[in-house]
Amino acid sequence: MQEDAPKTAKDAAPTGTQTLLRGLGVVQAVASGARDLKEIARLIGTTRSTTHRLASCLVDERYLRVVPQVGYLLGPKLIELGFQAREELPLATLAGPYLDELSALTGDTVHLGIREGDEVLYLLKNPGRNGPEMRSRVGHRMPLARTGIGKALMLDDAPQDWQRLYDISLPAGGKSQFWPQHPQQSWEQLEQRMAEYVAGGYAFDLEDNEPSIRCVAAPIRDASKRIVAAISIASTVPYMPLEKMAELIPLIKGVTARLSAELGLKV
């Protein structure tokens, strides 16, 4: 006797579950660009009549909409749910495990920061095992142009904005109140480096904020591709040579890409 072909999980699912999965398949098909019933049916493997029934129900419930001469599009209910999902899970809560991962892998201090006006505001800090404790702290603010994490938050800005942020970052009298003997980076240096950072999707702090502290940073983007935060890995020069900084670029970019995907960024 010939044995029956093995059933897939989808085939074995209860009827209600199959309907749910097919409905979600319709939404995914429309999200991927399908605009008519024929294309949606082809993508999800259902008959035209079944596809029409599912799509009509989703239109009635506002998960889809039909635009004349365009076809099916995602509906307002999905927009509402997207905003609600984003608000229900604060960025700091979502980012926590990613910072823990980087901290465990590198042994260095890891920060999460957001932009508030012309400053970076530190939301999270995982102190590292390497070197002395840094003076950064949660709730601390610094000028954007003076830190690696701040430069990562500036990557989408125009060069004239970089210069404005550079100008206001200069301490009174041209000397830092913390490190009066530390030379300041010039505007020409910053402009050249920012162009390199934009091309690479990362940013460095090469002792720009305080002597002996270096860091590698990368931006986090949301579904609109807008930079909403950044993460940095920082340590003292003995633990952060230039060779290590280069090696950390793909690591931190990989982590921020995963976190961006959690915020809805479609790669």
Side-chain angles (χ1 to χ4, degrees), residues 3 19 58 69-70 76 86 90-91 93 105 110 125-126 172 191 201-202 225 233 249 259 264 267:
E3 293 185 1
T19 302
L58 290 165
Q69 293 162 352
V70 175
R86 188 176 68 177
L91 176 61
T93 302
L105 285 171
V110 184
K125 175 184 178 181
N126 278 25
E191 182 181 31
Y202 68 94
K225 300 184 179 180
I233 305 171
I249 293 171
L259 186 48
V267 179

Side-chain angles (χ1 to χ4, degrees), residues 70-86:
V70 175
Y72 289 96
L73 297 173
L74 298 180
K77 187 67 175 179
L78 290 173
I79 298 173
E80 295 168 11
L81 291 175
F83 276 104
Q84 184 177 344
R86 188 176 68 177

Side-chain angles (χ1 to χ4, degrees), residues 50-128:
T50 297
T51 306
H52 181 265
R53 188 165 60 250
L54 291 168
S56 296
C57 180
L58 290 165
V59 170
D60 290 341
E61 296 298 323
R62 301 170 60 242
Y63 289 95
L64 295 180
R65 71 178 98 204
V66 182
V67 178
Q69 293 162 352
V70 175
Y72 289 96
L73 297 173
L74 298 180
K77 187 67 175 179
L78 290 173
I79 298 173
E80 295 168 11
L81 291 175
F83 276 104
Q84 184 177 344
R86 188 176 68 177
E87 294 300 320
E88 285 183 353
L89 190 58
L91 176 61
T93 302
L94 187 64
Y98 293 91
L99 267 68
D100 292 342
E101 176 185 335
L102 285 173
S103 184
L105 285 171
T106 67
D108 299 316
T109 298
V110 184
H111 299 100
L112 171 73
I114 60 171
R115 182 171 183 165
E116 286 215 340
D118 296 333
E119 297 178 311
V120 54
L121 171 65
Y122 292 97
L123 294 184
L124 288 178
K125 175 184 178 181
N126 278 25

